[in-house]
Amino acid sequence: MLPVFTIHRERERDKERERENERASEQQTGNSSVTCLDFRGSSLLKACEGNAMQRLWRTLILLQTVWALSWLGVGSLRVDDCPDGAAISWTLLEDKPLAGDVNTSRTESVMTFDPVMIDHEATLLCKVTCGLESKHARASVLVYSFPDAPVIRGQDGLKLGQESMLTCEVSDVFPAELLTVDWLRGDAVVQTLAGYSGSLGFHSVQTSYVFTLDREDVGQSMTCRATLDLQGLAAEDRSRETSVPLTPRYPPVVVEISDAVSMMAGSALSLSCSAEGNPTPQISWSFKTAGGGSRPLSRGSELVVMATALSHAGQYDCVATNSEGNVTATVEVRVHAPPTNTAIAVSPGREVLEGEEVTISCRSEGAPTPTLLLRRVSQEGVELQRSNSSLSFNLSSALMDDSGLYECEASNQYGSNLVNTSITVRGQLVS
């Protein structure tokens, strides 16, 4: 019948005999495992259960498969079928004291590391003795720290068409020499930093990637992937990554603006302009004055005039501005109108003395510029002068026969406008 094990604390044994037994057990079992402990919390180590002597050895063999990363884990061995009582002990192969806290109950022996320290890296042996027979299993305890995903900096300073740099930092890593940091542009690896040589302890590992952004890169992503190649670490805990979009800064570019406009006076005018850039451009409108200056109008992508007049004809500038620069686009507005504000004037006045000099002038507004025609109505509409701009007719020495009605007609393709005035020439008094 197989012996039945119960749990009790292992009594003190001769150190040399214990090492000989360990070496003998190593030759018998050849079992080893790797256990990863995380800096971020306490860890405990566990072994599987067994019900009889042969199951006890199987338990020790399976020990390598169940020690794993845990926030709070215990290394324990449970033995149920040792009638004379089983002794369980934990030792280190290295020449240093056992750092974990051991707690042995009737059913299992527990070793706890709280908190996990770098010094806890060691080769740990769990030994069980039942009567005259003893076996043990060995595990390599590897301490690591890999608490956070990489942090990427510099993406806010990217500029289109210029050399730019991103930095990636992986904080509080141990062991840093097992860390690999890859830069990925889209899905392609473009740069790799493998390993870090430095003093013992956990480190912040930083790497930079220098590149030039083209317009076709805008909207793509850049990824920093950190991988800790530690034996025994679960696959899902080995790699962490962070991605940022490539949104470089660049000066505004006007992508759309209204075409040149021809319209009748009194109609509503609406002009639109859009621009892209990073940061987002601010759009403003201005009007080029006759003197070559610029008169500010409004802000926003759209400019609206409810009822246009001739004064609204000219060049309108759309100005897009951000921190990287500005750009201007121009749209021409032409306003058509029939002659208006037509006026006729006589100098020095409508009543003059014979022999005085008299000037008759006429002006009008319209687009195109109206043609001006001056006639004397009292002589069956005799044409006195025609002009395509301003009109000025001169009587160098007025005669009484020059008295009469004068009219000025302004006309263009959109209409005409007629105004008149009378002139009275009086004779000189004879003394």
Side-chain angles (χ1 to χ4, degrees), residues 127-140:
K127 181 178 179 181
V128 178
T129 301
C130 180
L132 298 178
E133 297 186 72
S134 64
K135 295 286 184 178
H136 79 277
R138 180 177 64 182
S140 296

Side-chain angles (χ1 to χ4, degrees), residues 191-240:
Q191 182 175 296
T192 298
L193 172 68
Y196 172 84
S197 58
S199 57
L200 182 64
F202 47 100
H203 300 272
S204 292
V205 178
Q206 182 172 297
T207 179
S208 299
Y209 178 62
V210 179
F211 62 111
T212 300
L213 267 174
D214 297 323
R215 187 170 294 277
E216 55 267 24
D217 296 322
V218 177
Q220 295 187 11
S221 63
M222 200 77 192
T223 301
C224 179
R225 178 187 297 160
T227 303
L228 191 63
D229 190 17
L230 184 66
Q231 182 185 2
L233 187 61
E236 61 270 20
D237 295 321
R238 284 174 177 262
S239 183
R240 294 190 175 126

Side-chain angles (χ1 to χ4, degrees), residues 40-306:
R40 293 174 294 175
S42 58
S43 290
L44 76 153
L45 305 176
K46 284 188 177 182
C48 298
E49 298 181 2
N51 294 322
M53 193 62 170
Q54 68 268 36
R55 293 175 61 186
L56 171 61
W57 310 145
R58 189 178 306 114
T59 295
L60 292 171
I61 294 173
L62 292 174
L63 186 63
Q64 61 182 312
T65 68
V66 297
W67 290 4
L69 169 65
S70 173
W71 283 95
L72 182 61
V74 175
S76 66
L77 179 62
R78 183 179 179 86
V79 182
D80 296 327
D81 301 326
C82 184
D84 296 329
I88 304 175
S89 65
W90 301 84
T91 58
L92 299 178
L93 287 184
E94 292 81 5
D95 187 15
K96 59 181 179 180
L98 190 64
D101 295 327
V102 177
N103 183 21
T104 303
S105 67
R106 291 184 56 83
T107 57
E108 66 179 3
S109 181
V110 176
M111 175 174 287
T112 304
F113 297 86
D114 186 9
V116 178
M117 308 293 291
I118 294 178
D119 290 342
H120 292 156
E121 283 205 339
T123 304
L124 188 66
L125 291 99
C126 178
K127 181 178 179 181
V128 178
T129 301
C130 180
L132 298 178
E133 297 186 72
S134 64
K135 295 286 184 178
H136 79 277
R138 180 177 64 182
S140 296
V141 178
L142 303 179
V143 176
Y144 81 99
S145 175
F146 193 17
D148 300 308
V151 176
I152 297 178
R153 297 183 177 90
Q155 61 269 31
D156 293 336
L158 299 177
K159 293 191 176 184
L160 193 65
Q162 299 184 25
E163 188 175 87
S164 303
M165 182 173 70
L166 293 176
T167 61
C168 175
E169 184 174 11
V170 189
S171 300
D172 301 331
V173 177
F174 179 82
E177 62 269 17
L178 298 182
L179 184 71
T180 299
V181 182
D182 293 315
W183 282 102
L184 293 88
R185 200 166 179 176
D187 296 326
V189 176
V190 293
Q191 182 175 296
T192 298
L193 172 68
Y196 172 84
S197 58
S199 57
L200 182 64
F202 47 100
H203 300 272
S204 292
V205 178
Q206 182 172 297
T207 179
S208 299
Y209 178 62
V210 179
F211 62 111
T212 300
L213 267 174
D214 297 323
R215 187 170 294 277
E216 55 267 24
D217 296 322
V218 177
Q220 295 187 11
S221 63
M222 200 77 192
T223 301
C224 179
R225 178 187 297 160
T227 303
L228 191 63
D229 190 17
L230 184 66
Q231 182 185 2
L233 187 61
E236 61 270 20
D237 295 321
R238 284 174 177 262
S239 183
R240 294 190 175 126
E241 64 181 43
T242 299
S243 298
V244 294
L246 295 178
T247 53
R249 291 177 173 265
Y250 60 97
V253 177
V254 173
V255 294
E256 186 176 0
I257 190 170
S258 297
D259 295 329
V261 179
S262 294
M263 60 195 314
M264 290 299 296
S267 302
L269 170 66
S270 177
L271 302 178
S272 63
C273 177
S274 61
E276 64 177 24
N278 189 28
T280 301
Q282 299 296 316
I283 294 178
S284 61
W285 290 91
S286 62
F287 180 72
K288 289 184 178 179
T289 62
S294 181
R295 176 164 52 90
L297 295 176
S298 65
R299 293 184 177 274
S301 60
E302 189 173 15
L303 174 68
V304 176
V305 178
M306 297 306 297

Side-chain angles (χ1 to χ4, degrees), residues 336-396:
H336 302 303
T340 185
N341 297 326
T342 305
I344 187 171
V346 180
S347 179
R350 292 192 299 171
E351 292 188 5
V352 297
L353 294 175
E354 189 176 22
E356 285 186 311
E357 183 177 3
V358 178
T359 300
I360 305 172
S361 60
C362 182
R363 62 177 180 81
S364 183
E365 297 176 357
T369 302
T371 298
L372 300 175
L373 175 62
L374 180 65
R375 291 188 295 260
R376 184 176 178 183
V377 179
S378 58
Q379 294 185 354
E380 298 180 355
V382 175
E383 182 177 319
L384 301 177
Q385 187 174 333
R386 182 185 293 267
S387 175
N388 289 325
S389 54
S390 61
L391 182 149
S392 179
F393 178 74
N394 183 259
L395 296 172
S396 59

